Amino acid sequence: MKTPAFFSNVSHELRAPLALILGPAEALLAHGHNLTGVQRRDLAVMRRNAVILLKHVDDLLDTARMNVGHMTLAYAEVDLASLVREVARHFEPLALQRHISFAVDAPALLPVQVDVEKLERVVIHLLSNAFKSTPEGGRIRLGVSATPEERALLEVEDSGQGGTHGFDGMGLGLSIARGFVELHGGLVRVTEAPGGGALFQVELPCQAPGGTRVTRRAPEAAWGLEAGLALRSALEELTLPEDARAQVAEADRTDDTSRPAVLVVEDDPELHRFLVETLQEDYRVITAFDGQAALEKARSLQPDLILTDNLLPRLSGDALVAAVRQEESLEGVPIVVLSDSADDALKLMLLREGAQDYMVKPFSAEEVRVRVRNLVQLKRVREELERRNHELERLRSREEAHYRAILDAAPAVIYVKDLQGRYLLVNNGFEALLRRTRGEVLGMTDEQLYSPELAEAYRRNDAEVLRRNVPVESEEWAHHEDGPHVYRSLKFPLLDMLGRPYALCGISTDITLQKRAEEDRERFFQLAPDMFCIAGLDARFKRVNPAFTRVLGWSEEELLARPFMEFVHPEDLGRTLEVLGNIERGMPTLHFENRYQCKDGTWRWLAWTTSPTTPEGFIYASARDFTEQHEAREAVRQLNQELEQRVSERTRQLEEVNRELESFSYTVSHDLRAPLRHITGFVELLERRARDVLDTKAQGYLRTISESAQRGGQLVDDLLAFSRMGRVEMRQSHVHLEPLVAEVWDELAPDREGRHIVLEVGPMPEARGDPAMLRLVFKNLLSNAVKYTRPKQEARVEVTAEEREGGIVIHVRDNGVGFDMAYVDKLFGVFQRLHRANEFEGTGIGLANVRRIITRHGGRTWAQGAVGQGATFSFSLPRIPAP
């Protein structure tokens, strides 16, 4: 049994180092003016926790004394109501800071005989526990009353969420409070408060036991609290700097997702801050101060590790571990539990529930970093392995799907058999062949699927492949609805790691159509009237069809025995060798001709078509005997030469005639103009001299003679212009048609004098032509429009253009006298007129000139009209070529 001297020694050994911590820390805080904010904050944490530790030392010593029965009570008479109010007064600032509703319900006076210091510590421990359990915005009630049994009742009720664990599950302070109450002969009860939380009830006898010495106290205003260290340490533990939680919460505001995330769950802000500062350099730290908030953040933020205290408000550490392990998305997140207890049973329970590590306070920052780093790295490695396994599984599944898709899309019949001939795999082509599903086919053998004859043939080929242990290609056949089909089958063994066959794979392609095509080609080769052959670059035939013998007379053996150049005419050898060189260089020869010698010594002309050489060095060629056509072509060529000579001679004669006609036209023009000028001149003289002598009728004769002479002169001029228009050189350029129309219209102003004529000109594109000739075209068409609208009071002339596929089309439209469409073919002829000269003047040359000019431009002319409704004259010009 430990003696009081032992506890005294223990107290001395513990208090001495604490004094050496508290003293320098308080001195530095009081006089260390050069301390940084961080240094001052850390010193304050040291001093505060040293005070708390000193209180815990006293509590432990008191607990030990009570356990060995060395604790005594110093009774004194005191007013319990005043004592409770005095203790409560020191907690009121804390209640204001944390927005807790704190009410004290005590009578004016309640005298009791108790150990004052120990009763003060009971009240302090109960209030401290209530403030620890109650969240911000909660409520705490402290009540004092007397019971009918002359006992004092002390009640502390809170709205905390810690539940009612009883005194055994609480901390050291409540355990000491219970011990002190029991020393007084009292009892303690804890139940659930009506509104949630806990209700602690303490009953004490109001009088000391009989025979006990009781001292008297001075008036209450003169004494202070005796449990000063207990109150100080409790308030130090509960009261934090205002920015403590705000400083810790800073870690939650980082957006850096490149680093692993660690969720730190600790309700003690200073320890919380210590853990955050320890980890925040290497990790993205997420913070929570209670278990429920931690669970919600874990669900939403998906941390890489959870570092949690075991004793937490709202949701305890062990409950948090269990809840996290129920979340599928958090299944792989490691959990490290921090505990005040080295209880192995608690540790094993937490590890079984899903925690990965268990750390007992106190611990160093380096220990925290190492354990967190190891678990985070292990999680990252596990996730990477899972990701790679998932990727490999996905790739494997995708490759299997690809292989299956390729197998099923392949037109061939593909299958795998084991060494006993049982089918292990078949594709869609196999199903289509047998008209059975793969579920029906797998596990069956050829003997169960085919006729005995086919099964034996297939198994014989399979055995050859397995015996030789190499791929083997062969032709096989199978029954189809339209008869037997031929397959080209490639079979090869599937080998294990030791090179031994464990299965056989077959790929069978239906070549029935190919075989039929080969047979058709062979029949065509044999029956074709043209000469077909296969030759090599060694200038020898490899195969010839019967047409060679039919045309040349040589047998197939004779043709294959000699180089084909020996059959070629000596004059054609050079050209044939040149063609052969082009073919060897990969150039196809669509047509060339040479002569081949027949067996009877004659020569036949052959027209050849060849293909480039194949990779094997073969030339495929066809020839057609065109000897008769060649002879006829030569005859035609000679006739063409003779015809060209005749045409050349005839052209020369025509050119000579044209020159003579031009000379004749000039002579006629000169010879006609002279008498016409004489007639006109002498008529004018006769009119001046004999005007008074001649009667009216005679003067009319003279006017008729003069007008006829003038028309004759105009007719000669127009005829000469028409003749020259066919010979004059064209000077083509880009022509803007709108200005050209406007200029011609202005030139016709004398003809329009005294008349009201409306001209409408639509958008006109550019054209390519001879500007002077096109001016003459518009002048003739517009002057006709002016002339033939003369009977109209309101004359209208329209000039429009449109683009058509062949080029540009110009329309000149008027509302004049029009014409009968029955005579439209005469409009553009020379000297052709549809109206009498006494109605409308003219020579009948203008429209003929228009047609000649437009024809020389590569266009055409046409007209539409109706008598009394006007006429439309149109002409086309080629489109301007793109630059």
Side-chain angles (χ1 to χ4, degrees):
M1 179 178 290
K2 302 296 186 294
T3 64
F6 169 78
F7 293 110
S8 176
N9 292 334
V10 170
S11 174
H12 178 269
E13 294 295 333
L14 291 175
R15 288 174 182 273
L18 285 173
L20 294 176
I21 295 173
L22 275 171
E26 290 178 345
L28 283 172
L29 287 171
H31 306 291
H33 303 298
N34 296 327
L35 294 176
T36 65
V38 174
Q39 290 171 339
R40 184 171 293 278
R41 182 197 65 189
D42 291 343
L43 279 172
V45 171
M46 291 169 56
R47 183 196 61 78
R48 175 175 171 275
N49 284 277
V51 170
I52 295 171
L53 184 57
L54 181 59
K55 193 262 293 185
H56 290 331
V57 168
D58 288 345
D59 289 343
L60 285 172
L61 290 174
D62 288 341
T63 301
R65 290 192 187 99
M66 285 188 289
N67 288 338
V68 298
H70 288 176
M71 178 67 71
T72 59
L73 299 179
Y75 281 93
E77 189 171 337
V78 66
D79 179 11
L80 181 60
S82 297
L83 182 147
V84 167
R85 282 193 290 268
E86 180 66 18
V87 174
R89 182 176 62 82
H90 291 81
F91 283 87
E92 288 175 353
L94 180 61
L96 291 174
Q97 182 186 26
R98 294 173 55 182
H99 308 288
I100 293 175
S101 174
F102 182 35
V104 179
D105 184 11
L109 182 68
L110 181 58
V112 293
Q113 295 175 350
V114 294
D115 187 318
V116 176
E117 187 265 341
K118 291 178 175 56
L119 186 58
E120 287 176 350
R121 289 173 65 181
V122 169
V123 177
I124 291 169
H125 286 312
L126 291 176
L127 286 178
S128 176
N129 178 74
F131 274 92
K132 287 179 181 178
S133 302
T134 303
E136 290 190 4
R139 66 183 185 281
I140 298 174
R141 182 183 68 85
L142 173 61
V144 178
S145 61
T147 68
E149 296 82 11
E150 296 185 354
R151 293 171 70 87
L153 177 63
L154 176 67
E155 294 181 319
V156 178
E157 179 183 352
D158 64 62
S159 61
Q161 298 172 329
T164 57
H165 297 283
F167 277 85
D168 292 335
M170 296 298 177
L172 181 61
L174 290 180
S175 177
I176 291 175
R178 182 180 63 181
F180 287 170
V181 171
E182 290 175 350
L183 285 175
H184 281 81
L187 58 89
V188 181
R189 295 188 299 272
V190 57
T191 60
E192 185 172 353
L199 172 62
F200 289 85
Q201 294 178 314
V202 175
E203 281 192 20
L204 294 171
C206 291
Q207 300 294 322
T212 304
R213 181 176 178 273
V214 179
T215 62
R216 295 189 61 83
R217 293 292 301 267
E220 286 77 8
W223 51 263
L225 291 175
E226 296 185 10
L229 178 60
L231 178 63
R232 178 186 176 191
S233 62
L235 294 176
E236 288 275 3
E237 187 174 5
L238 294 172
T239 305
L240 294 172
E242 293 184 2
D243 61 344
R245 290 194 176 222
Q247 291 173 355
V248 173
E250 288 292 329
D252 268 355
R253 293 199 286 269
T254 178
D255 296 325
D256 180 14
T257 59
S258 62
R259 298 183 298 169
V262 175
L263 174 58
V264 174
V265 192
E266 172 60 62
D267 61 331
D268 184 333
E270 290 184 343
L271 181 56
H272 200 147
R273 180 174 58 78
F274 165 74
L275 294 172
V276 169
E277 291 179 352
T278 298
L279 299 172
Q280 66 184 2
E281 183 177 349
D282 300 316
Y283 303 95
R284 180 165 53 96
V285 180
I286 306 166
T287 63
F289 290 91
D290 62 74
Q292 187 61 41
L295 180 60
E296 293 170 0
K297 288 193 176 184
R299 287 169 175 165
S300 61
L301 301 178
Q302 298 290 307
D304 293 286
L305 182 138
I306 298 175
L307 182 65
T308 178
D309 191 20
N310 189 37
L311 296 177
L312 294 172
R314 298 182 67 191
L315 190 67
S316 64
D318 56 340
L320 175 62
V321 172
V324 167
R325 287 297 169 248
Q326 295 298 317
E327 300 287 333
E328 184 177 354
S329 61
L330 301 173
E331 182 180 4
V333 177
I335 302 175
V336 180
V337 178
L338 308 177
S339 178
D340 297 322
S341 172
D343 186 353
D344 289 339
L346 175 63
K347 176 179 179 181
L348 290 175
M349 184 269 291
L350 289 170
L351 293 175
R352 278 195 299 269
E353 288 184 354
Q356 274 65 44
D357 203 351
Y358 184 91
M359 295 178 64
V360 179
K361 304 173 186 176
F363 39 73
S364 67
E366 184 60 25
E367 181 182 2
V368 173
R369 281 192 290 266
V370 169
R371 295 203 185 199
V372 169
R373 182 178 66 247
N374 291 342
L375 288 174
V376 168
Q377 289 178 349
L378 183 62
K379 176 179 179 291
R380 288 293 177 94
V381 170
R382 184 175 63 252
E383 288 177 345
E384 179 63 18
L385 289 175
E386 290 176 354
R387 187 191 66 79
R388 292 187 181 184
N389 288 336
H390 177 73
E391 182 67 16
L392 289 174
E393 181 63 24
R394 187 182 66 82
L395 290 175
R396 187 183 65 81
S397 300
R398 187 174 66 179
E399 287 179 357
E400 287 183 357
H402 288 172
Y403 293 148
R404 171 55 65 183
I406 292 171
L407 290 176
D408 286 340
V413 175
I414 303 175
Y415 49 88
V416 174
K417 306 177 188 179
D418 63 14
L419 299 182
Q420 286 72 42
R422 293 185 295 263
Y423 283 93
L424 305 177
L425 179 146
V426 296
N427 72 335
N428 286 350
F430 196 102
E431 291 180 332
L433 171 64
L434 293 186
R435 296 183 177 274
R436 293 190 180 187
T437 65
R438 65 191 62 184
E440 297 173 322
V441 171
L442 297 181
M444 300 181 71
T445 63
D446 292 330
E447 287 77 10
Q448 296 170 300
L449 297 173
Y450 302 104
S451 65
E453 180 185 1
L454 280 180
E456 182 182 356
Y458 295 162
R459 293 298 293 160
R460 186 169 55 249
N461 292 338
D462 293 351
E464 179 67 14
V465 172
L466 295 174
R467 184 185 66 81
R468 296 171 57 184
N469 208 24
V470 294
V472 175
E473 189 172 353
S474 62
E475 286 190 2
E476 297 177 328
W477 62 278
H479 289 294
H480 280 242
E481 289 184 347
D482 58 348
H485 279 219
V486 181
Y487 284 82
R488 178 177 290 113
S489 295
L490 173 64
K491 298 184 178 182
F492 52 91
L494 300 179
L495 307 178
D496 61 17
M497 299 293 291
L498 300 178
R500 297 174 301 192
Y502 65 89
L504 176 142
C505 180
I507 304 174
S508 299
T509 305
D510 190 344
I511 60 171
T512 304
L513 295 178
Q514 179 183 341
K515 297 288 285 187
R516 293 172 182 172
E518 290 175 357
E519 294 171 359
D520 292 342
R521 283 197 299 270
E522 183 62 26
R523 282 193 292 270
F524 183 75
F525 188 80
Q526 296 294 330
L527 299 175
D530 287 340
M531 304 162 65
F532 292 158
C533 68
I534 302 174
L537 294 176
D538 57 356
R540 287 183 177 272
F541 290 118
K542 307 302 178 184
R543 266 196 89 184
V544 295
N545 71 336
F548 268 82
T549 300
R550 188 169 59 251
V551 172
L552 301 178
W554 304 99
S555 67
E556 181 177 358
E557 291 76 13
E558 291 172 326
L559 290 167
L560 299 182
R562 298 164 55 188
F564 58 71
M565 297 300 291
E566 294 184 6
F567 299 97
V568 178
H569 194 285
E571 294 179 0
D572 301 333
L573 283 174
R575 184 168 66 255
T576 304
L577 287 172
E578 181 182 354
V579 170
L580 189 62
N582 291 339
I583 295 173
E584 186 176 359
R585 288 190 292 273
M587 299 168 59
T589 300
L590 299 180
H591 184 78
F592 83 97
E593 301 169 356
N594 63 6
R595 285 165 285 183
Y596 261 59
Q597 188 179 35
C598 299
K599 192 170 185 178
D600 61 5
T602 60
W603 298 91
R604 305 295 293 180
W605 279 95
L606 303 180
W608 292 90
T609 301
T610 70
S611 68
T613 57
T614 65
E616 297 80 13
F618 293 136
I619 303 170
Y620 289 81
S622 67
R624 176 167 294 180
D625 180 9
F626 75 108
T627 304
E628 287 75 15
Q629 293 90 327
H630 183 271
E631 293 173 353
R633 188 173 63 189
E634 282 298 312
V636 170
R637 187 179 60 79
Q638 292 178 3
L639 289 174
N640 285 338
Q641 287 180 348
E642 294 175 2
L643 182 60
E644 287 177 1
Q645 291 178 354
R646 292 178 184 178
V647 169
S648 177
E649 179 64 23
R650 183 61 176 164
T651 301
R652 186 186 62 76
Q653 293 174 357
L654 288 174
E655 289 175 350
E656 183 65 26
V657 169
N658 283 336
R659 284 194 296 270
E660 291 176 357
L661 285 174
E662 186 174 353
S663 176
F664 172 75
S665 297
Y666 179 79
T667 301
V668 168
S669 172
H670 182 271
D671 291 346
L672 287 176
R673 280 176 174 172
L676 288 173
R677 282 197 302 270
H678 289 164
I679 292 171
T680 303
F682 281 107
V683 166
E684 291 178 354
L685 289 174
L686 183 59
E687 283 182 338
R688 285 198 300 269
R689 293 186 178 185
R691 181 181 297 118
D692 298 333
V693 178
L694 297 176
D695 58 12
T696 303
K697 190 173 184 179
Q699 290 180 2
Y701 292 154
L702 288 176
R703 283 196 299 275
T704 300
I705 293 171
S706 176
E707 290 174 358
S708 297
Q710 290 176 359
R711 282 198 301 273
Q714 183 63 43
L715 184 60
V716 169
D717 290 342
D718 290 346
L719 184 61
L720 286 174
F722 179 75
S723 176
R724 285 196 300 271
M725 193 56 63
R727 301 188 307 275
V728 68
E729 180 183 358
M730 289 180 62
R731 303 178 182 275
Q732 293 202 16
S733 63
H734 288 267
V735 181
H736 296 278
L737 297 181
E738 286 189 41
L740 184 61
V741 172
E743 292 174 7
V744 171
W745 187 252
D746 290 341
E747 291 177 8
L748 297 175
D751 297 338
R752 296 184 284 111
E753 187 174 356
R755 296 181 57 194
H756 181 67
I757 303 177
V758 177
L759 174 67
E760 294 184 1
V761 181
M764 307 286 286
E766 281 191 12
R768 182 169 179 79
D770 187 307
M773 291 185 179
L774 293 180
R775 175 187 288 273
L776 183 58
V777 168
F778 281 110
K779 187 170 184 179
N780 282 327
L781 294 178
L782 289 174
S783 63
N784 277 357
V786 171
K787 182 197 308 182
Y788 291 108
T789 57
R790 195 179 298 152
K792 299 287 185 178
Q793 289 185 348
E794 292 289 336
R796 299 184 65 85
V797 179
E798 297 179 11
V799 181
T800 60
E802 60 177 318
E803 293 194 25
R804 295 184 180 176
E805 185 176 353
I808 303 169
V809 176
I810 312 296
H811 305 284
V812 179
R813 186 178 293 108
D814 63 64
N815 64 342
V817 297
F819 62 88
D820 189 345
M821 285 295 290
Y823 304 103
V824 68
D825 294 337
K826 296 182 178 182
L827 277 177
F828 294 96
V830 181
F831 305 132
Q832 297 294 325
R833 292 176 50 80
L834 301 185
H835 301 86
R836 292 190 300 274
N838 59 353
E839 292 180 328
F840 298 101
E841 69 278 5
T843 61
I845 301 296
L847 289 179
N849 233 351
V850 168
R851 171 161 284 182
R852 173 165 284 193
I853 291 171
I854 296 303
T855 300
R856 292 195 65 189
H857 279 78
R860 65 185 187 92
T861 56
W862 66 95
Q864 289 183 327
V867 176
Q869 298 183 20
T872 301
F873 290 85
S874 305
F875 62 90
S876 65
L877 293 172
R879 190 185 307 276
I880 297 178

